[in-house]
Amino acid sequence: MVGRPGAASAPVTAGTSGVVGANLPALRSHNMALVLDLLRTAGSEGISRLELAERTGLTPQAVSKITARLRADGLAAEAGRRASTGGKPRTVLRLVPEAGHAVGLHLDRDELRAVLVDLTGAVVAEERTSLDLGAGPDAVVAAVAREAGALTGRVAPHCGVPHGWAPGGRGTDALLGIGVALPGPLDHTRGVLHRVTGFPEWDGFPLRDALARRLGVPVVVDKDTNAAALGLAVDGAGGSFAYLYLGTGLGAGLVIGGTVHRGARTGAGEFGHQVVQLDGPPCGCGNRGCVEALCLAAVARGEVDEAARVLGTAAGNLVALLDIDLVLLGGRTVTAAPDAFVSGVAAVLDERARRVGQAAVPVRVASGGVAEGAAQLVLAPLFGRADG
Amino acid sequence: MVGRPGAASAPVTAGTSGVVGANLPALRSHNMALVLDLLRTAGSEGISRLELAERTGLTPQAVSKITARLRADGLAAEAGRRASTGGKPRTVLRLVPEAGHAVGLHLDRDELRAVLVDLTGAVVAEERTSLDLGAGPDAVVAAVAREAGALTGRVAPHCGVPHGWAPGGRGTDALLGIGVALPGPLDHTRGVLHRVTGFPEWDGFPLRDALARRLGVPVVVDKDTNAAALGLAVDGAGGSFAYLYLGTGLGAGLVIGGTVHRGARTGAGEFGHQVVQLDGPPCGCGNRGCVEALCLAAVARGEVDEAARVLGTAAGNLVALLDIDLVLLGGRTVTAAPDAFVSGVAAVLDERARRVGQAAVPVRVASGGVAEGAAQLVLAPLFGRADG
DNA sequence: GCACTTTGGCAACAGCGTTGCGAAAGTGGG
DNA sequence: CCCACTTTCGCAACGCTGTTGCCAAAGTGC
């Protein structure tokens, strides 16, 4: 059960600017999220109270109080103890995975993948079916609701019910919500699709509200690349990184300071149509010399090395512009020839870093599904990773 | 006097991750900064307590308490009242400009400009001399100290002295610190220069500490583009924007969510060497097809429209990648033909926005000096605009 | 001139992290 | 085996935060 007990009287009337005043519940919520995030990062290994205190900058006593509340709420539990260093051994704390669940959905062009994950992000159950976006919003919403329902049948259907503070309230674990990841331009703040290529009946469809009304749980909608990047951010890739996705198209998810950067209109990460060749060959978007067009054309010609070089050039632009720490590559096309792409992109980045006398930015293949990341859209606020 | 009374017991031992736990002093500090920022934005027009409450999301009573402390500290003052709307008229509050000062320095290639600004950012005094970076660190530090000293002679030499809470403590206004802006790669967190083109004796020079030791006040060092962008962010340009500087070189300052994005190594905003023409003409950096090379070459040929088109293409990449709200242009080359650059860049952005069916991103000429922005480096933390 | 509205301060309050202190639970030397 | 020491961690009192209830102040409008 996760009732977010302290969030009750948080200021809801936000100001016109993004920054908002903080009060005691907000303070409590912030610190709780911080501790939960560290517990999550520690994983099954766990983490001691004093370590939490060091990492957060809070007093050991404050950590004791916070973890006591988390234990009373069933979110955390003691899990053995460390070896003594001459005194009382540290008690290890651990996140209770079953304390909450979330559903993540990946709506791809022809396929729907749904996962049920626990608080730690581990996949508990999984569904997979074909999907036809052309069947229109109603049919797709029905299909999505069916898959989600099949997964959520095993956890409490209701959520958001504030269980209060009662100790021992480790009753039913709740479904925190459903995260939906799909391609194409959309508005993540309102959960409204802008356009779905080839299917005008989707224009402006309020997917979030339609699903939330039908399923009775909170729904979060985001671009597939953002969801994937969020999933990678949770899986240890700290700091700032760019996730470059090369499949049928080319896109990017940007993580800056541990949170996904989406921009005001969820437009951030528009990487495929970065122009890297002035007056180059025309692209389907109407522009000329876009990375996507150049890169995919090279792949079609079988010149993977050239594709990697083009991708590396655009990645170099991104790395230089944002001072990114890490580049992660994903997508079907990359998976088909991972070594060629990694070494090809890395070669361009290394050369560029060498010229300015800086350390090269590492390039790796990303591992992690989009649906898993979509589930993290729901879990992120609980761990203080909401927006950026 | 600005003693940051609440900052005394803030957690100093930050964790390894960037996010840190919050306690009551931090809460107080945050809300105080929020109110101060709104007071600053309101300018001479002022703002009422209830308006502050609406904008911050805080209770009117909390705002009353916070503003009472600010008034006791001499940071804010009552300034008349609004027209009544049927009841007691609202009292207007205003930032007291003389409550604190900051010095901003712009070290350009051949010139040093120094300004003394008050809390609102208004320039109180100004100095200007020629500068020779080739004379070496010691000579330059001495020159900088001389100019800074000439400006700071009129305010209290000591700062950071916590005056405590004594009501009526509106004694001497203090010098909060010195902000230094200069070109070239550097580390803003440690205030160390990496390289100054053509002068190897500057390599790794700890400019911040050298100046701080000599002058006895806090010093902040940052790239000129970042300082300029910060100054523009304070001057009303809210949200997220990119400041593109085209002078002897081409650089950018990125403001995302009201704060300057610098990246982990202060490398962010490296805009001049974005590659927009694969295998294009060689650039001084060793790469090929950099915007800076293409753009400046066009300017040298007298083809301002072509230069604007090239700049617009790179700006379009940036806008798409980050979902930026606004593009501001500055620098000598732009000032020489402002209309041509603004319309040329806007044309590219408009065309690109039209294709994806979004509203075009506005393009404007930036107004504001680098030295003024450098002074804001010092003031930013007071108004909650530290880092991003 | 009185009723009403709106502003904003005083006082009591709940809740946050902090400090002081002591119990619990180990290690290690005699 | 026992005792001194170290280290962990909870209980209790505390200071300070924003919040709530209430009332004085200062206007408008009939």
Side-chain angles (χ1 to χ4, degrees):
Chain A
M1 54 141 289
V2 178
R4 303 258 334 252
S9 54
V12 283
T13 333
T16 53
S17 106
V19 195
V20 79
N23 49 19
L24 287 172
L27 181 77
R28 171 210 182 100
S29 205
H30 172 85
N31 287 340
M32 183 179 80
L34 217 61
V35 170
L36 280 175
D37 195 36
L38 287 173
L39 284 171
R40 173 172 66 165
T41 309
S44 58
E45 200 179 323
I47 187 172
S48 74
R49 289 177 179 80
L50 282 173
E51 236 176 308
L52 287 170
E54 283 170 28
R55 301 276 284 269
T56 57
L58 294 170
T59 328
Q61 197 52 238
V63 172
S64 269
K65 282 195 176 182
I66 292 167
T67 54
R69 283 197 299 260
L70 291 177
R71 284 192 299 152
D73 281 12
L75 287 172
E78 298 194 340
R81 33 187 57 180
R82 288 269 164 74
S84 167
T85 61
K88 178 176 178 177
R90 303 185 172 184
T91 316
V92 172
L93 296 172
R94 181 182 52 84
L95 197 62
V96 175
E98 311 81 32
H101 291 90
V103 168
L105 286 115
H106 180 197
L107 274 62
D108 214 343
R109 304 213 172 274
D110 52 357
E111 190 187 55
L112 161 64
R113 186 161 168 264
V115 295
L116 177 70
V117 306
D118 61 24
L119 263 196
T120 67
V123 175
V124 174
E126 186 174 355
E127 297 275 344
R128 192 168 221 149
T129 39
S130 62
L131 183 76
D132 179 20
L133 286 180
D138 291 342
V140 169
V141 164
V144 165
R146 190 172 54 245
E147 292 303 316
L151 284 178
T152 61
R154 58 195 82 191
V155 297
H158 285 294
C159 85
V161 184
H163 283 76
W165 280 73
R170 54 186 67 200
T172 57
D173 40 11
L175 178 66
L176 294 166
I178 299 179
V180 183
L182 71 167
L186 53 88
D187 179 351
H188 81 281
T189 58
R190 297 185 301 141
V192 173
L193 308 190
H194 289 162
R195 296 174 289 109
V196 177
T197 329
F199 307 107
E201 67 265 38
W202 281 93
D203 277 23
F205 182 73
L207 182 60
R208 184 188 67 185
D209 292 346
L211 280 174
R213 198 166 37 242
R214 178 144 185 164
L215 293 165
V217 292
V219 175
V220 185
V221 172
D222 204 348
K223 288 202 294 187
D224 47 5
T225 45
N226 286 343
L230 177 60
L232 294 168
V234 169
D235 279 3
S240 302
F241 66 88
Y243 168 65
L244 308 182
Y245 178 92
L246 183 58
T248 53
L250 173 58
L254 306 177
V255 173
I256 298 177
T259 61
V260 177
H261 172 69
R262 300 181 173 90
R265 288 160 296 277
T266 329
E270 179 48 75
F271 184 67
H273 301 287
Q274 297 274 304
V275 175
V276 292
Q277 187 158 16
L278 273 168
D279 308 318
C283 172
C285 74
N287 228 324
R288 286 171 163 277
C290 298
V291 215
E292 183 179 291
L294 293 170
C295 204
L296 292 178
V299 170
R301 290 194 308 270
E303 300 172 6
V304 175
D305 289 347
E306 172 64 9
R309 189 180 73 99
V310 173
L311 184 62
T313 301
N317 283 352
L318 192 159
V319 166
L321 187 66
L322 296 177
D323 197 359
I324 286 286
D325 299 325
L326 172 68
V327 171
L328 293 173
L329 303 179
R332 295 174 196 174
T333 310
V334 170
T335 315
D339 293 343
F341 274 103
V342 166
S343 61
V345 170
V348 179
L349 296 184
D350 289 357
E351 172 68 13
R352 209 150 151 172
R354 197 183 53 73
R355 286 211 191 91
V356 291
Q358 281 191 335
V361 172
V363 180
R364 288 204 294 268
V365 171
S367 56
V370 176
E372 285 83 346
Q376 294 293 344
L377 291 170
V378 175
L379 299 180
L382 192 66
F383 298 98
R385 298 291 191 94
D387 267 69
Chain B
M1 51 141 289
V2 179
R4 306 255 336 251
S9 55
V12 283
T13 331
T16 53
S17 109
V19 195
V20 80
N23 49 17
L24 287 171
L27 181 78
R28 171 209 184 104
S29 204
H30 172 86
N31 287 339
M32 184 179 80
L34 218 61
V35 169
L36 280 175
D37 194 36
L38 288 173
L39 285 171
R40 172 171 67 166
T41 309
S44 58
E45 200 179 322
I47 187 172
S48 74
R49 289 178 179 79
L50 283 173
E51 237 175 309
L52 287 170
E54 283 170 28
R55 300 276 283 269
T56 57
L58 293 170
T59 327
Q61 197 52 240
V63 171
S64 271
K65 281 194 176 180
I66 292 167
T67 55
R69 284 197 299 260
L70 291 177
R71 285 193 299 154
D73 280 12
L75 286 173
E78 298 193 341
R81 35 187 56 181
R82 288 269 165 74
S84 166
T85 60
K88 178 176 177 179
R90 304 186 171 183
T91 315
V92 171
L93 296 172
R94 183 182 53 83
L95 197 62
V96 175
E98 311 82 32
H101 291 89
V103 168
L105 287 119
H106 180 196
L107 273 63
D108 214 344
R109 304 215 169 274
D110 51 358
E111 191 187 55
L112 162 64
R113 185 159 167 265
V115 294
L116 178 69
V117 305
D118 60 25
L119 263 196
T120 68
V123 175
V124 175
E126 186 174 356
E127 297 276 344
R128 192 168 221 149
T129 40
S130 61
L131 184 76
D132 179 21
L133 286 180
D138 291 341
V140 169
V141 164
V144 165
R146 191 170 55 245
E147 293 301 318
L151 285 177
T152 59
R154 58 195 80 190
V155 295
H158 284 295
C159 84
V161 183
H163 282 76
W165 280 74
R170 55 185 69 201
T172 57
D173 40 10
L175 178 65
L176 294 167
I178 299 180
V180 182
L182 70 166
L186 54 87
D187 178 351
H188 81 282
T189 58
R190 297 184 301 141
V192 173
L193 309 189
H194 288 162
R195 295 175 288 109
V196 178
T197 327
F199 306 109
E201 66 265 39
W202 281 92
D203 278 21
F205 182 73
L207 182 59
R208 184 189 66 185
D209 292 345
L211 280 174
R213 197 166 37 242
R214 179 142 185 166
L215 293 165
V217 292
V219 175
V220 185
V221 172
D222 204 348
K223 287 201 295 187
D224 46 6
T225 45
N226 285 344
L230 178 61
L232 294 168
V234 169
D235 280 3
S240 302
F241 66 89
Y243 168 65
L244 307 183
Y245 178 91
L246 183 58
T248 52
L250 172 58
L254 305 178
V255 173
I256 298 177
T259 60
V260 177
H261 172 71
R262 299 182 175 89
R265 290 160 293 277
T266 328
E270 178 51 72
F271 183 68
H273 300 289
Q274 296 275 304
V275 175
V276 292
Q277 187 157 17
L278 272 168
D279 307 318
C283 171
C285 74
N287 228 324
R288 287 171 163 276
C290 299
V291 215
E292 184 178 291
L294 293 171
C295 203
L296 291 178
V299 170
R301 292 195 306 268
E303 301 172 8
V304 175
D305 290 346
E306 171 64 9
R309 189 179 75 97
V310 172
L311 184 61
T313 302
N317 283 353
L318 192 158
V319 166
L321 187 66
L322 296 178
D323 197 0
I324 286 286
D325 300 325
L326 172 69
V327 171
L328 294 172
L329 303 179
R332 294 173 196 174
T333 310
V334 169
T335 317
D339 294 342
F341 273 103
V342 166
S343 61
V345 170
V348 178
L349 296 185
D350 289 357
E351 173 69 11
R352 209 151 150 171
R354 195 183 55 73
R355 286 211 192 93
V356 291
Q358 282 193 335
V361 172
V363 180
R364 290 204 294 268
V365 171
S367 56
V370 175
E372 286 84 345
Q376 293 294 345
L377 291 171
V378 175
L379 299 180
L382 192 65
F383 298 98
R385 299 291 190 96
D387 266 70

